[in-house]
């Protein structure tokens, strides 16, 4: 009796899920046929070059000439190079800015959901850096943060000359400065994403919390954050991937990876190996390592999302019970 009762809902659940999939495909095979051109185009544009680079990473690659097969020598050379590990260390140092990149726009989005005058205007102002070219923004900040630039001049004018620094040529300051600049550039996008997620939370939850005497921080940490945790995790995944893929323009324009290699990222190092030094096989091997790191981060993010959805479903089942 118990076994029959327990298996019946599972069967019904599977059949419902199957019917939903069929309904979503809108005709099954015909919909899949329509997807074939997209799949082929995606494979041709994205996956074919990746496979080719992975293949070339096992050669002493000389474009236009004879490339000798050298096995894993490129990877051995790469992993035995201290400069590579310094760049990897820089990459993970930038990840220390992840809490700031998530909490700051989330907090501002939560404040804007209150009855703030001209909240739409503030969202537009916050989003403005996101539509600007990172290269142009980096040029502006390179001028502002130069040794004789306006920032240091302002500090000296107000009597804080001791705080003036060579912001972009100091090994201890350059990476924190870049973290703050990346926060400024992506701040508005995060505010818009979190604002849209917060707008879906029922207002009566906040009203009930206020009647119970819950303050601003209580509403933020115990209602807002748990309610939009999927959006928070997705934004975190996006930021992590951005650190591995979209830092080149900032590093190239601001510091050229310097001083030394103290601000270089893996994408910038690949550019240097390939375009400047002509070590094509090593650059290919480093590209493969970069892709594997991105896939690992995406896998961890997918696992976190799955665990969160499982916890939410369990919580829903308990409430229903």
């Amino acid at each position: 009796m118990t076994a029959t009762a327990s298996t019946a809902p599972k069967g019904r659940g599977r059949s419902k899920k199957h019917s939903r999939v069929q309904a979503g495909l809108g005709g099954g095979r015909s919909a899949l046929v329509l997807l074939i051109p997209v799949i082929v185009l995606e494979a041709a544009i994205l996956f074919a070059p990746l496979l080719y680079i992975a293949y070339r990473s096992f050669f002493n690659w000389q474009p236009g000439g004879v490339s000798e097969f050298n096995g894993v020598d490129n990877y051995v050379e790469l992993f035995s190079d201290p400069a590579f590990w310094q760049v990897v260390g820089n990459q993970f140092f930038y990840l220390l800015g992840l809490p700031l990149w998530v909490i700051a726009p989330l907090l501002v989005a939560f404040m804007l959901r209150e009855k703030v005058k001209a909240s739409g205007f503030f969202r537009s102002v916050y989003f403005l850096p996101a539509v600007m070219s990172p290269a142009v923004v980096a040029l502006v900040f390179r001028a502002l943060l130069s040794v004789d630039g306006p920032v240091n001049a302002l500090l000296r004018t107000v009597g804080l000359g001791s705080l003036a620094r060579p912001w972009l040529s100091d090994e201890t300051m350059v990476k924190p400065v870049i973290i703050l600049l990346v926060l400024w550039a992506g701040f508005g996008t995060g505010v818009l994403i979190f604002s849209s997620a917060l707008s879906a939370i029922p207002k009566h939850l906040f009203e009930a919390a206020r009647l119970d005497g819950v303050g601003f921080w209580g509403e933020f940490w115990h209602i807002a954050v748990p309610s939009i945790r999927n959006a928070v995790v997705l934004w975190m995944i996006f930021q992590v991937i951005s650190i591995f893929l979209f830092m080149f323009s900032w590093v190239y324009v601001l510091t050229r990876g310097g001083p030394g290699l103290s601000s270089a990222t893996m994408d910038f190092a690949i550019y240097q190996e390939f375009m400047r030094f002509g070590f094509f096989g090593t650059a290919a091997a480093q590209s493969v390592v970069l892709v594997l790191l991105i896939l690992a981060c995406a896998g961890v993010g997918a696992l976190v999302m799955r665990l969160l959805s499982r916890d939410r479903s369990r919580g829903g089942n308990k409430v229903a019970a």
Side-chain angles (χ1 to χ4, degrees):
M1 181 72 68
T2 305
T4 304
S6 60
T7 55
K10 291 183 180 179
R12 287 197 297 269
R14 289 175 183 170
S15 62
K16 289 181 180 179
K17 183 177 181 180
H18 185 65
S19 63
R20 275 193 230 108
V21 171
Q22 285 185 332
L25 288 175
R29 294 180 180 178
S30 60
L32 290 176
V33 170
L34 294 176
L35 288 176
I36 288 176
V38 178
I39 296 172
V40 172
L41 185 63
E42 186 75 14
I45 294 177
L46 181 61
F47 297 110
L50 287 177
L51 292 176
Y52 181 74
I53 290 295
Y55 170 74
R56 283 299 185 181
S57 67
F58 297 102
F59 288 82
N60 182 16
W61 187 12
Q62 299 296 329
V66 178
S67 301
E68 298 179 357
F69 178 79
N70 60 2
V72 296
D73 288 352
N74 289 329
Y75 292 93
V76 173
E77 181 180 354
L78 185 66
F79 293 140
S80 60
D81 186 2
F84 169 74
W85 293 111
Q86 182 179 358
V87 171
V88 173
N90 294 341
Q91 201 84 54
F92 284 97
F93 184 94
Y94 289 126
L95 289 178
L96 296 178
L98 187 61
L100 183 63
W101 297 332
V102 173
I103 294 176
L106 177 57
L107 186 60
V108 171
F110 182 72
M111 289 189 292
L112 288 177
R113 70 165 295 278
E114 302 291 336
K115 294 181 179 179
V116 177
K117 293 182 179 179
S119 59
F121 169 77
F122 287 109
R123 291 190 183 96
S124 301
V125 171
Y126 292 143
F127 188 70
L128 183 61
V131 300
M132 300 173 66
S133 169
V136 174
V137 175
L139 281 173
V140 173
F141 276 106
R142 189 176 71 177
L144 291 175
L145 297 173
S146 62
V147 177
D148 298 325
V151 173
N152 284 337
L154 178 62
L155 290 174
R156 296 186 184 99
T157 302
V158 298
L160 297 175
S162 60
L163 298 179
R165 295 286 187 278
W167 302 102
L168 299 177
S169 57
D170 186 344
E171 292 185 3
T172 60
M173 294 299 302
V174 62
K175 287 193 286 292
V177 168
I178 293 177
I179 287 175
L180 293 177
L181 295 184
V182 172
L183 168 66
W184 180 84
F187 185 79
T189 305
V191 169
L192 286 181
I193 290 175
F194 292 138
S195 294
S196 61
L198 288 169
S199 64
I201 303 176
K203 294 182 179 180
H204 66 81
L205 295 178
F206 296 103
E207 294 172 356
R210 288 167 188 164
L211 290 176
D212 291 337
V214 178
F216 175 86
W217 291 108
E219 293 181 16
F220 178 74
W221 289 112
H222 300 296
I223 298 178
V225 174
S227 298
I228 63 169
R229 55 185 176 179
N230 286 341
V232 173
V233 174
L234 283 174
W235 179 246
M236 291 175 64
I237 295 172
F238 175 76
Q239 290 296 313
V240 170
I241 294 176
S242 297
I243 286 300
F244 286 98
L245 286 181
F246 304 122
M247 291 290 290
F248 174 81
S249 55
W250 290 99
V251 173
Y252 181 80
V253 176
L254 283 171
T255 65
R256 296 293 198 276
L261 289 173
S262 58
S263 64
T265 54
M266 292 186 69
D267 50 358
F268 178 79
I270 292 170
Y271 165 80
Q272 291 281 88
E273 292 284 323
F274 193 91
M275 299 296 294
R276 184 176 179 184
F277 303 126
F279 299 143
F280 303 106
T282 307
Q286 193 164 348
S287 300
V288 172
V289 174
L290 177 60
V291 171
L292 292 177
L293 283 175
I294 294 172
L295 291 176
C297 292
V300 171
L303 179 61
V304 172
M305 290 286 290
R306 185 175 181 180
L307 293 175
L308 289 176
S309 61
R310 183 180 300 176
D311 292 340
R312 177 171 291 184
S313 63
R314 288 177 180 176
N317 293 334
K318 289 180 181 179
V319 172

